[in-house]
Amino acid sequence: MTPTESQNVHRLRKNAVGLMGVIFMAVATAAPITAMTGNVPIAVGFGNGLGAPAGYLFATIVLTVFSVGYVSMARHITSAGAFYGYISHGLGQVAGMVAGMLATMAYVVFEASIIGFFAYQANDTFKTLAGVDIHWLWFAFVALALNAVLTYFDINLTAKVLGVFLITEIFMLGLTAVVTLFHGGGPDGLMASSVNPVNAFGTPGLAAGAVGLGLFMCFWSWVGFESTAMYGEESRDPKRIVPRATLVSVVGIGLFYTFVSWMVVAANGHNAPAIAAKEYAGIFFNPTRELVGVWAVDLFKILILTGSFACSMAFHNCASRYLYAIGRENLIPGTARTLGRTHHSHGSPHIAGFVQTAISVVLILAFFFAGMDPYLHIYTLLAVLGTLAILVVQALCSFSVIGYFHVRKKHQETANIWRTFLAPLTGGLAMLFVVLLLFQNQEAAAGEASKTLLFRLIPWIVLGFAAIGAGLALYLKVKDPEKFGIIGRIVLEDTVERD
């Protein structure tokens, strides 16, 4: 099979989802309520303090610049593998295989990570609101089972479920923020200086290294927005929907994050860093209780559950599509008949979905039998592992835009000094900067979990998967050049790349 042939390949269901469905899934993957209640307290309490909202504004600008090049590729390449396909076309098959392995590993562990957060919150919420103590492991199994079932069916069903959950969590976050705005802020007013871009890099009294941790937490909050490209093969008009959904998701999420974090800081006043360091989600719950009511706090806790479950579902879909994208190329004999198959009527990557569920079950059980905590260890360690991998892939993706349009000279009608060179170059360097921030602050980001063996192995695990990808590609280049040529090159028929 030549790089552009697609016969005998099981396809995902076409025209299954529209613009809003793709946006819902991308934003749900970024998980607004989980990102805000999980990351803002760390950014405010231990990171850039009162300048955390400015950090979110800075991240919005950087990721918007990154997206300019990303959507330029999306206009010409439509693949369920997203980064895998883009980097293969822009930087070559070896880099593409490295990216495919890293991205697949990242999304595979992200589901288990969010399941850990969901299970912990579910156990706590049931004890608090219902007085029932159900072990967190049962909640984890129920969530994994639901994800497996929903992935089995048409992607449109998943989009509708995610849409409902997403609207409710955005409503809850927005409610407290808007009430705070109309209330004129907290004890120190609206504190407009918190969104001054200069304060993203430090405010008086910050400890050394705190700014790096704060900025990293801001960027971490976006992980998953790039999943828009994964649904291109199932969207109704991928050349238009994917670019639009990506930019709407990035800018929309960014402005929302900036507004919510600003209002949270304002509601707590200059004491926000001290409150966040001591009470974590209390910086959300306390203003909500005072300005809206006790009922809103209870609703807030419930929506954290539905929001984190929606996030796990979105990551499950991402991981399934990466496993499917690599499997259908049959680089490892037999995977085309298993991972690369789609359901005959639903058009879903159902086998890849079940494999993803099995991997998540194994990960959850491994942590459980090791006596580890679902929040402290499962959520934190797997999130740091996946985030490190995906940031490396995002940097590679930025540079692949330059390689595709300016080195390989593809689609010169689209090539542009800003859109396909300066923007991706800036975005790629910024992503490498964020990777550096992660390395410098990984112990602070992991907290108590940094004392574990898994934490110390994280950089080596990332390097190991990258080496496996490079090794597999180089082996195929020597032993099976035809398969080597396929790496990352099976794309949607009507947008197939031609030499």
Side-chain angles (χ1 to χ4, degrees):
M1 186 165 66
T2 63
T4 57
E5 284 177 325
S6 57
Q7 62 266 34
N8 302 321
V9 173
H10 280 244
R11 291 289 178 182
L12 298 167
R13 182 178 177 182
K14 291 184 180 181
N15 304 319
V17 64
L19 176 62
M20 292 308 298
V22 174
I23 291 174
F24 278 152
M25 286 184 285
V27 178
T29 309
I33 201 165
T34 305
M36 290 288 92
T37 58
N39 297 346
V40 169
I42 296 176
V44 174
F46 305 97
N48 39 6
L50 300 177
Y56 276 100
L57 182 59
F58 172 73
T60 301
I61 295 170
V62 170
L63 291 170
T64 300
V65 171
F66 163 81
S67 298
V68 170
Y70 188 67
V71 300
S72 296
M73 294 283 278
R75 291 190 175 97
H76 299 289
I77 301 173
T78 303
S79 170
F83 288 139
Y84 174 52
Y86 292 1
I87 295 170
S88 176
H89 279 83
L91 297 180
Q93 285 91 333
V94 175
M97 198 68 240
V98 168
M101 293 299 292
L102 289 178
T104 302
M105 181 272 287
Y107 286 113
V108 164
V109 302
F110 276 144
E111 182 186 8
S113 171
I114 299 299
I115 288 293
F117 178 86
F118 166 82
Y120 172 85
Q121 293 293 342
N123 171 263
D124 181 69
T125 301
F126 271 72
K127 283 192 295 185
T128 302
L129 300 183
V132 179
D133 188 1
I134 302 174
H135 196 280
W136 66 265
L137 191 61
W138 293 112
F139 290 110
F141 285 154
V142 169
L144 288 170
L146 285 174
N147 284 343
V149 170
L150 287 168
T151 302
Y152 181 83
F153 293 104
D154 182 353
I155 187 65
N156 198 37
L157 173 61
T158 302
K160 290 177 180 177
V161 173
L162 290 177
V164 172
F165 287 159
L166 182 62
I167 289 171
T168 55
E169 64 180 282
I170 288 177
F171 166 78
M172 190 68 250
L173 288 169
L175 175 63
T176 301
V178 170
V179 170
T180 300
L181 176 65
F182 282 100
H183 190 264
D188 301 303
L190 288 174
M191 299 177 64
S193 61
S194 291
V195 287
N196 183 340
V198 174
N199 290 329
F201 302 94
T203 54
L206 283 181
V211 172
L213 174 61
L215 288 175
F216 167 69
M217 298 308 299
C218 293
F219 278 93
W220 191 353
S221 302
W222 261 270
V223 169
F225 80 88
E226 72 289 337
S227 63
T228 50
M230 298 178 201
Y231 303 105
E233 294 187 25
E234 297 159 276
S235 65
R236 298 188 183 113
D237 187 0
K239 286 186 178 181
R240 298 179 64 187
I241 283 180
V242 171
R244 290 180 180 179
T246 302
L247 289 173
V248 169
S249 298
V250 171
V251 177
I253 290 172
L255 294 178
F256 185 70
Y257 281 173
T258 302
F259 175 62
V260 170
S261 60
W262 174 25
M263 288 300 101
V264 166
V265 167
N268 289 275
H270 285 99
N271 287 326
I275 296 171
K278 184 178 180 181
E279 301 182 44
Y280 291 92
I283 65 169
F284 284 90
F285 295 155
N286 295 341
T288 300
R289 183 181 296 108
E290 294 173 9
L291 299 177
V292 184
V294 176
W295 66 270
V297 176
D298 294 339
L299 178 59
F300 211 134
K301 293 179 178 180
I302 292 172
L303 292 179
I304 289 176
L305 293 186
T306 59
S308 57
F309 171 70
C311 180
S312 74
M313 188 194 310
F315 276 128
H316 181 92
N317 276 277
C318 293
S320 300
R321 276 152 184 77
Y322 262 104
L323 290 170
Y324 157 77
I326 292 178
R328 69 183 178 182
E329 294 179 353
N330 204 35
L331 302 178
I332 300 173
T335 52
R337 296 191 300 272
T338 53
L339 293 177
R341 292 186 67 87
T342 55
H343 193 276
H344 65 279
S345 59
H346 301 304
S348 61
H350 60 303
I351 297 178
F354 289 140
V355 169
Q356 167 59 19
T357 298
I359 295 172
S360 295
V361 168
V362 170
L363 288 173
I364 294 295
L365 287 176
F367 278 94
F368 169 72
F369 286 118
M372 293 187 173
D373 184 80
Y375 179 83
L376 182 65
H377 297 108
I378 300 178
Y379 171 63
T380 304
L381 288 172
L382 294 182
V384 172
L385 171 60
T387 300
L388 176 58
I390 210 67
L391 287 173
V392 171
V393 174
Q394 286 179 347
L396 287 174
C397 185
S398 288
F399 300 133
S400 74
V401 177
I402 299 173
Y404 184 76
F405 291 103
H406 296 280
V407 178
R408 297 175 182 265
K409 301 294 184 181
K410 296 283 190 175
H411 291 283
Q412 292 303 286
E413 74 278 8
T414 300
N416 175 281
I417 188 64
W418 156 248
R419 186 170 56 244
T420 60
F421 184 78
L422 291 178
L425 178 62
T426 304
L429 293 175
M431 290 299 170
L432 291 178
F433 170 65
V434 179
V435 171
L436 177 62
L437 290 180
L438 176 55
F439 270 110
Q440 291 177 336
N441 299 279
Q442 55 183 337
E443 290 190 10
E448 286 296 313
S450 64
K451 300 175 182 178
T452 63
L453 174 62
L454 177 57
F455 173 80
R456 293 193 293 273
L457 292 176
I458 284 176
W460 300 105
I461 293 173
V462 173
L463 287 173
F465 273 90
I468 291 171
L472 176 59
L474 291 172
Y475 172 81
L476 292 173
K477 185 176 184 179
V478 174
K479 297 294 185 179
D480 196 340
E482 186 174 341
K483 278 191 176 181
F484 175 78
I486 295 170
I487 294 175
R489 301 305 178 94
I490 296 182
V491 297
L492 189 66
E493 292 95 324
D494 61 359
T495 54
V496 68
E497 284 295 309
R498 296 179 175 86
D499 294 328

